[in-house]
């Protein structure tokens, strides 16, 4: 007996505790797979652009302070306000400028937060511009 003839004629071993796989199950083991699954998301994230926060000029800071002081004076009117602020990105350096529109409620001096009627709160140091719209506008 040469060339492994004894092994070729030997019955196939089967475990009694496991049932044999179907042809479909056996074929599934060799089906293609995505070796780089999720990589598309990483590429998209890398390609997503963020802005860097621009330094405000002294004149811009003075103007922002004037508008903020005026907003505090008319807070009882609950004026409609458009606030532009810088929102930091959670995953990358930088962020983006966002505009929020809402009715101003009050300023929390302890936490330095502007609070609005809908519950939105915004840190004062993030604000870059304030536009105040009176109720009759």
């Amino acid at each position: 007996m040469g060339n492994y003839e004894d092994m070729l004629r030997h019955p196939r071993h089967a475990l009694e505790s496991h049932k044999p796989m179907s042809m479909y199950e056996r074929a599934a083991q060799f089906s293609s797979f995505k070796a780089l699954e999720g990589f598309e998301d990483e590429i998209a994230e890398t390609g997503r652009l963020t802005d860097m926060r621009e330094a405000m000029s002294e004149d811009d800071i003075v103007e922002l302070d004037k508008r903020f002081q005026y907003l505090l004076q008319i807070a009882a009117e609950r004026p409609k306000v458009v606030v532009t602020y810088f929102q930091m990105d959670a995953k990358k350096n930088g962020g983006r400028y966002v505009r929020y529109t809402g009715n101003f409620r009050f300023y929390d001096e302890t936490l330095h937060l502007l609070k609005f009627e809908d519950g939105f709160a915004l840190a004062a140091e993030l604000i870059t511009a304030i536009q105040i719209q009176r109720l009759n506008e």
Side-chain angles (χ1 to χ4, degrees), residues 53-56 60-61 63-65 67 82-87 96-99 122-131:
R53 185 170 183 173
E54 296 176 14
M56 293 178 67
D60 291 339
I61 293 170
E63 182 63 30
L64 181 62
D65 187 53
R67 289 177 187 246
V82 179
V83 181
T84 303
Y85 64 97
F86 190 76
Q87 182 180 53
R96 64 187 180 120
Y97 285 93
V98 179
R99 294 181 78 168
L122 180 61
E125 68 266 7
L126 299 177
I127 297 172
T128 59
I130 298 175
Q131 296 173 336

Side-chain angles (χ1 to χ4, degrees), residues 13-134:
H13 177 72
L15 295 173
E16 294 177 15
S17 59
H18 296 308
K19 67 177 184 117
M21 273 191 195
S22 69
M23 292 296 264
Y24 177 77
E25 291 171 323
R26 290 177 78 66
Q29 293 182 66
F30 302 102
S31 66
S32 65
F33 66 98
K34 283 182 125 179
L36 301 176
E37 187 165 351
F39 194 61
E40 296 89 8
D41 296 336
E42 291 293 324
I43 291 172
E45 177 61 27
T46 302
R48 186 174 57 85
L49 299 177
T50 57
D51 296 324
M52 298 310 288
R53 185 170 183 173
E54 296 176 14
M56 293 178 67
S57 70
E58 194 66 36
D59 292 338
D60 291 339
I61 293 170
V62 169
E63 182 63 30
L64 181 62
D65 187 53
K66 283 181 188 177
R67 289 177 187 246
F68 180 67
Q69 294 304 321
Y70 180 66
L71 179 62
L72 294 178
Q73 290 173 5
I74 63 169
E77 297 177 29
R78 306 271 170 115
K80 188 174 188 179
V81 179
V82 179
V83 181
T84 303
Y85 64 97
F86 190 76
Q87 182 180 53
M88 295 297 293
D89 194 281
K91 296 182 178 180
K92 298 175 90 169
N93 286 336
R96 64 187 180 120
Y97 285 93
V98 179
R99 294 181 78 168
Y100 168 79
T101 303
N103 288 58
F104 178 71
R105 201 167 125 220
F106 72 96
Y107 176 66
D108 184 334
E109 290 185 37
T110 308
L111 300 174
H112 304 287
L113 294 174
L114 280 79
K115 297 203 175 183
F116 295 85
E117 286 186 346
D118 63 358
F120 182 72
L122 180 61
E125 68 266 7
L126 299 177
I127 297 172
T128 59
I130 298 175
Q131 296 173 336
I132 300 169
Q133 301 172 345
R134 295 295 209 136

